[in-house]
Amino acid sequence: MKLLNLDHVAIAVHDLDTAIAGYADRYGVEPLYREVIETQGVEEAMIPVGGSFVQLLMPLGPETPVGRFLSKHGEGMHHIAFAVSSIDAALEHLKSRGARLVDEEPRPGGRGSRIAFVHPADLGGTLIELVELSGA
Ligand code: CO
């Protein structure tokens, strides 16, 4: 298990265009990628900040994980994501430690990545995403 860097901090928002405009106005930053990820029920925008990203997440509907998060908590920080060199090795390691996983197996993420989530109840009340970037 090796964490390469803090890939992104994800923020759940009601409206992606409004959030992107807000970041442009306040911080002078623009998204590098924007894509719909059907399997996660989100549209996401990735705003580069140094070597990491702010990931703005808008649910595709109320009955998606991010949709339910928004109705319960409102807008705000949703998860943090660590880049790993091998997501398979990372998941094996976490299973061997008895970690509570949301995803037992990797699934497709943005930018052609493979991702998996670790349950917030596992450590520090924080939803953690592991990302293996393609070509990493
Ligand atoms: Co993420």
Side-chain angles (χ1 to χ4, degrees), residues 5-74:
N5 75 325
L6 181 64
D7 185 73
H8 61 269
V9 173
I11 298 166
V13 301
H14 288 293
D15 185 81
L16 203 50
D17 291 323
T18 303
I20 288 168
Y23 270 80
D25 179 70
R26 300 294 196 274
Y27 301 108
V29 290
E30 304 276 352
L32 193 56
Y33 311 93
R34 179 171 175 163
E35 63 184 300
V36 172
I37 302 165
E38 297 281 354
T39 54
Q40 291 178 54
V42 295
E43 181 171 357
E44 69 179 37
M46 297 294 276
I47 298 174
V49 180
S52 303
F53 291 87
V54 171
Q55 177 183 66
L56 300 174
L57 285 177
M58 178 178 73
L60 297 179
E63 292 307 316
T64 59
V66 175
R68 286 190 289 272
F69 176 92
L70 276 175
S71 59
K72 200 169 162 189
H73 304 285

Side-chain angles (χ1 to χ4, degrees), residues 62-119:
E63 292 307 316
T64 59
V66 175
R68 286 190 289 272
F69 176 92
L70 276 175
S71 59
K72 200 169 162 189
H73 304 285
E75 292 189 323
M77 213 186 85
H78 185 264
H79 65 268
I80 64 173
F82 297 122
V84 295
S85 51
S86 165
I87 198 160
D88 298 304
L91 284 173
E92 279 313 305
H93 172 82
L94 289 167
K95 284 176 195 172
S96 78
R97 298 292 165 135
R100 183 166 165 190
L101 302 176
V102 174
D103 299 305
E104 296 279 329
E105 302 296 333
R107 52 178 159 139
R111 297 168 287 161
S113 65
R114 296 198 303 150
I115 66 165
F117 283 95
V118 184
H119 199 281

